[in-house]
Amino acid sequence: MVYCDYAATTPMSDIALEVYQDVAKNFYGNASSLHDTGGKAMDILEKARAILAEIFHTQSRQIVFTSGGTESNLLAIDTLLRASPIKGRKHIIASEAEHSSLYYHLKELSKSEEFEVTFLPLGEDGQINIEELLNAIQPHTSLVSIQHVSGETGIIQPIAEIGKQLEDKNIYFHSDVVQSFGKMNLEPILPYVDCLTISSHKVFGPKGVGAIYFHPEVTLSPHPVITNHEHGLRPGTVDVPAIASFSASALEQMQQINQNKQHLAYIRELFCEKLEKHQVPLRPITGPEQCPSIVGCIADFVQGDYVMLEYNRNGIDISTGSACSIGYADIPRSITPFISDREEGKRYIRFSFSHLTTEQDISQIIEISNRIFARMKEERIDYGKKVNW
């Protein structure tokens, strides 16, 4: 099997598994309990928080642990809206290509009279037009939320540039960095954001854990529903083993980030070169700046879900979009600048790589790709209507 769906999830690393097992076995107490066993668990929790705080060059109290990227996004948005000095109706600006967890939450907020939401389209290059964003700002604009890296195209948004424009406008700025954390250096954007959201299982940690970084100047007001965990922002017993494992895997990825980034750049270039050289009927989506771990492609003549099934039959795991959006019939919103119509959008597939991806994996993908598309052409199957395997 060749796994090429790292943007959906990653396997737990050896260090993450080791830490999880150790903490689950030896530090099993409830971190909120007042006895010594609970205190030992609390010590582990705070050590994990300190590790992430060091990564983000902040103090431990600015890190909030969650159940994953989705909760991180929802909790971040709601916390920033509560902290906003704007009274009355609040205006939110986001892109049309935000992750589904945030996009549909904002859609729901927009139905309330308390909130107004502006969704900005992507430009032809897949990036937000900063002038359009600035023109969308209103006197009651409280929050801007722009995803750093698209999970479907890998295109990087100009977060630092946007943040610089918002610095003197009394508007909170949030970015979902789930796809870039551990793969890209986030230090250039840290001075210009008020909040970042991350997820453990994208960086070789366990599923069911995430975190939020809040800038020190953000007031962390407790949730209106009385809760007693994570600065009063969320309820539920804290999963200390998973959090410790997450911090260990995140630290490991950050320590290897330059080496892994070079490897990913090489793998992406090799993959795209071989696609062209061997005339594989897949068109990679390209933009001005892209995270090298993600390569979205448009197939020439066949629907993406059938291509994905054929790759699966041949031992290669790819996707047709965000695993968080399975069940939605619509095409990924982030690819709209790169397609001429909806039918072309249905031919989208995604390869996503990691430091574990090898040259041999790429060669095998190309070989199987040629075999798959050659057979599809010969059989002249109408994949959009009926398929007989």
Side-chain angles (χ1 to χ4, degrees):
M1 183 193 81
V2 178
Y3 187 71
C4 295
D5 202 15
Y6 289 98
T9 195
T10 60
M12 286 181 69
S13 67
D14 291 343
I15 187 65
L17 285 166
E18 180 182 341
V19 169
Y20 186 95
Q21 185 177 29
D22 178 47
V23 174
K25 183 177 181 179
N26 299 309
F27 301 91
Y28 51 83
N30 188 320
S32 296
S33 296
L34 299 179
H35 46 60
D36 288 349
T37 302
K40 290 177 181 178
M42 176 61 77
D43 287 343
I44 296 295
L45 174 63
E46 293 310 314
K47 286 178 182 177
R49 198 187 308 277
I51 288 173
L52 285 189
E54 185 174 353
I55 289 173
F56 287 104
H57 305 294
T58 192
Q59 297 175 326
S60 292
R61 65 173 179 268
Q62 305 309 132
I63 302 296
V64 173
F65 287 111
T66 69
S67 63
T70 292
E71 188 195 1
S72 292
N73 278 337
L74 303 188
L75 190 58
I77 292 301
D78 291 346
T79 302
L80 291 174
L81 289 173
R82 287 200 306 275
S84 172
I86 300 293
K87 305 300 180 183
R89 195 177 194 211
K90 294 180 171 65
H91 177 232
I92 306 164
I93 300 174
S95 80
E96 291 181 345
E98 294 303 302
H99 185 268
S100 58
S101 63
L102 196 146
Y103 179 80
Y104 290 108
H105 181 54
L106 293 181
K107 281 282 190 181
E108 285 300 311
L109 289 182
S110 68
K111 297 176 183 178
S112 166
E113 292 187 359
E114 297 178 23
F115 301 101
E116 177 185 354
V117 183
T118 298
F119 290 102
L120 299 174
L122 299 180
E124 293 181 356
D125 59 0
Q127 289 187 324
I128 286 291
N129 184 301
I130 297 179
E131 286 301 317
E132 288 186 9
L133 188 154
L134 295 176
N135 290 336
I137 292 175
Q138 302 179 35
H140 62 301
T141 300
S142 305
L143 173 66
V144 172
S145 181
I146 305 293
Q147 185 182 38
H148 188 207
V149 168
S150 165
E152 290 88 23
T153 67
I155 289 178
I156 304 168
Q157 296 299 331
I159 299 300
E161 289 75 8
I162 294 171
K164 290 175 185 177
Q165 295 293 327
L166 298 176
E167 276 187 307
D168 60 347
K169 292 181 170 44
N170 209 23
I171 299 171
Y172 282 129
F173 185 27
H174 162 259
S175 185
D176 171 350
V177 298
V178 165
Q179 290 294 348
S180 53
F181 179 64
K183 306 176 189 70
M184 296 176 56
N185 178 15
L186 299 182
E187 291 189 13
I189 72 173
L190 281 178
Y192 307 105
V193 294
D194 297 295
C195 183
L196 297 174
T197 46
I198 60 178
S199 179
S200 165
H201 73 105
K202 307 291 189 180
V203 289
F204 298 86
K207 296 173 178 63
V209 190
I212 310 173
Y213 155 78
F214 286 104
H215 190 278
E217 293 182 4
V218 176
T219 302
L220 300 182
S221 303
H223 197 279
V225 177
I226 297 177
T227 60
N228 60 348
H229 295 288
E230 297 301 295
H231 311 303
L233 294 180
R234 65 186 301 268
T237 302
V238 178
D239 190 345
V240 175
I243 288 171
S245 176
F246 173 25
S247 67
S249 62
L251 180 60
E252 182 181 39
Q253 291 304 304
M254 294 306 296
Q255 290 172 339
Q256 302 172 357
I257 192 167
N258 291 330
Q259 176 184 342
N260 289 348
K261 187 177 179 181
Q262 290 176 1
H263 176 75
L264 283 168
Y266 170 72
I267 287 294
R268 177 190 174 85
E269 183 178 2
L270 179 66
F271 177 66
C272 293
E273 285 179 355
K274 284 183 175 287
L275 284 180
E276 183 177 3
K277 178 179 178 180
H278 294 273
Q279 298 182 331
V280 178
L282 291 172
R283 171 172 59 87
I285 292 173
T286 59
E289 290 187 88
Q290 288 176 280
C291 183
S293 59
I294 297 172
V295 183
C297 296
I298 306 296
D300 277 2
F301 60 88
V302 61
Q303 200 162 305
D305 49 359
Y306 297 120
V307 177
M308 184 270 290
L309 290 173
E310 275 295 276
Y311 274 112
N312 184 65
R313 279 161 47 104
N314 285 272
I316 297 178
D317 294 338
I318 65 167
S319 75
T320 55
S322 170
C324 304
S325 301
I326 296 301
Y328 292 97
D330 211 358
I331 62 173
R333 297 179 305 279
S334 59
I335 72 169
T336 52
F338 307 99
I339 57 175
S340 57
D341 53 38
R342 290 183 55 82
E343 289 305 310
E344 190 175 20
K346 292 178 181 178
R347 303 201 300 271
Y348 165 83
I349 61 173
R350 180 189 70 187
F351 298 83
S352 50
F353 309 122
S354 81
H355 63 284
L356 301 178
T357 308
T358 65
E359 293 180 355
Q360 290 75 19
D361 291 336
I362 299 301
S363 296
Q364 188 173 346
I365 294 168
I366 298 301
E367 178 185 347
I368 290 175
S369 297
N370 279 327
R371 189 190 315 159
I372 288 173
F373 285 106
R375 187 183 70 79
M376 287 178 172
K377 286 181 179 179
E378 289 175 2
E379 295 183 0
R380 297 182 180 276
I381 299 175
D382 185 352
Y383 289 88
K385 298 178 181 177
K386 184 178 179 180
V387 178
N388 297 310
W389 296 110

